Amino acid sequence: MARIVMKFGGTSMAGTERIRRVANLVRKQAAGGNQVAVVVSAMAGETDRLVNFCREANPLYDPAEYDVVVASGEQVTSGLLALTLQSLGCDARSWLGWQLPVRTVEAHAKARVEAIDAEALTSAMEAGQIAVIPGFQGVSEDGRITTMGRGGSDTSAVAVAAAVKADRCDIYTDVDGVYTTDPRIVAKARKLKAVTYEEMLELASVGAKVLQTRSVGLAMKEGVRVQVLSSFVGDDAIPADELPGTMIVSEEEMNILVEKGEMERQHVTGIAHDKNEAKIILTRVPDKPGAVAHIFDPLAKAAINVDMIIQNVGRDKGETDVTFTVPQADLARAQALLEDKRDDIGFNRLITDSKIAKISVVGVGMKSHAGVASTMFKALADRGINIQAITTSEIKVSVLIDEDETELAVRVLHTAYGLDADDEAA
Ligand code: ADP
Ligand code: ASP
Ligand code: MG
């Protein structure tokens, strides 16, 4: 007997027919004598619809009320799944964020899970009841409903798994695992049997939306065993217990898989893209100590995350251009803040560009292998793709390019690093 947390994303929960398929998967897992908790997302498209309502009601919406609205999507699906499980003869009960409770801290709309009181939940699971928990939602210190940022149900699932000390947290989605890149962009993307926490964390943070970044960080910290697998399977599918999806593993586990010949070490494990950033260029900023601090200080105070930064070498007149990226959602606010500080900063023009994309290659193999970045630059140059900015970390290289070239760049790099599915046989 094992204790399993199963999480189902939006496409898996899109409509009562799909929910019935989910209920069947849950029933099967429970029928094997396992204790099961299920974490669900809102139906596909529902959260976007609710966000739009908020924008229409008040463009400068209060995040606390936004949370009240957007958390409703998961309330609906958790109730519907509990009802469907009951119709199949299962003992099932829903537990909303405030009922467990899932205690969160920090800002509304991007709350972080602090703790889950799992006592009542574990007792119910031990008594054979299937717990159905809406993902994405929690409760703040002052008792108000909160949500955890887009894609937050993954984090809810991992947090529940950590709280009930689950043997495994299965994240069911619309693809059957983590691939070398988004399989919807590159048909030749290869499914990975396993990926390390560190690499998955980096991939998620640079745009591979299959898992929310925070969920991976939490799984790594709490040692939760996470598997990504598909809910779109027939009755003859390999059972989840036989690990048909992608396991997120520690470095040590990965070494064992490599030794056994079940995984091969590549310099690059995966490629991700992110179209949600925007570029800001400030021209003719004074080239003197403190100038850059004047730019980034107001942004930091407004909790706007700056990602890539380039400062050109000042050629003459003691002036320089500064280029950087911010999340597209924060662009208008960033622009307003900088305009406000125009005199302090002393720039000439503020130019913005939202038609950009960040392409990143990730792999722990980079730690010990030089030349990954130059392969990237050459492959892009060969296809005439211009690089606007570059950043690197120990296991990642990212470049900023024109948004229209995203798909081409991802495909070209996938081939350049020998990741195409055909290459495996070669
Ligand atoms: P869910 O609604 O189940 O949470 P998401 O849409 O959030 O699903 O995440 C699944 C999607 O992530 C896939 O449909 C796929 O297009 C995308 N994706 C991006 N990068 C990857 C990758 N490296 N491996 C698998 N899927 C990826
Ligand atoms: N429904 C939320 C979203 O669309 C949370 C999730 O699905 O993970 O972002
Ligand atoms: Mg998701």
Side-chain angles (χ1 to χ4, degrees), residues 116-148:
I116 294 182
D117 296 344
E119 229 170 274
L121 180 64
T122 1
S123 309
M125 287 170 78
E126 279 164 1
Q129 193 173 69
I130 297 170
V132 185
I133 300 161
F136 189 45
Q137 61 171 255
V139 60
S140 68
E141 285 145 301
D142 51 0
R144 296 207 64 87
I145 197 155
T146 58
T147 63
M148 302 168 194

Side-chain angles (χ1 to χ4, degrees), residues 244-259:
T246 300
M247 281 304 294
I248 318 296
V249 299
S250 65
E251 196 70 53
E252 296 75 51
E253 284 176 278
M254 182 58 92
N255 288 337
I256 294 168
L257 287 172
V258 171
E259 271 165 33

Side-chain angles (χ1 to χ4, degrees), residues 112-116 155-169 197 214-226 248 250:
R112 191 169 57 76
V113 182
E114 168 94 329
I116 294 182
T155 305
S156 305
V158 171
V160 168
V164 303
K165 302 194 170 45
D167 295 285
R168 214 175 57 234
C169 180
Y197 288 109
R214 267 190 187 163
S215 71
V216 187
L218 190 62
M220 187 166 162
K221 180 168 152 258
E222 301 284 341
V224 175
R225 289 182 68 70
V226 175
I248 318 296
S250 65

Side-chain angles (χ1 to χ4, degrees), residues 7-10 40-43 47-48 70 74 135-136 149-154:
K7 180 260 171 178
F8 293 91
V40 296
S41 283
M43 294 190 196
T47 310
D48 287 340
V70 298
E74 273 75 8
F136 189 45
R150 299 306 303 272
S153 297
D154 297 329

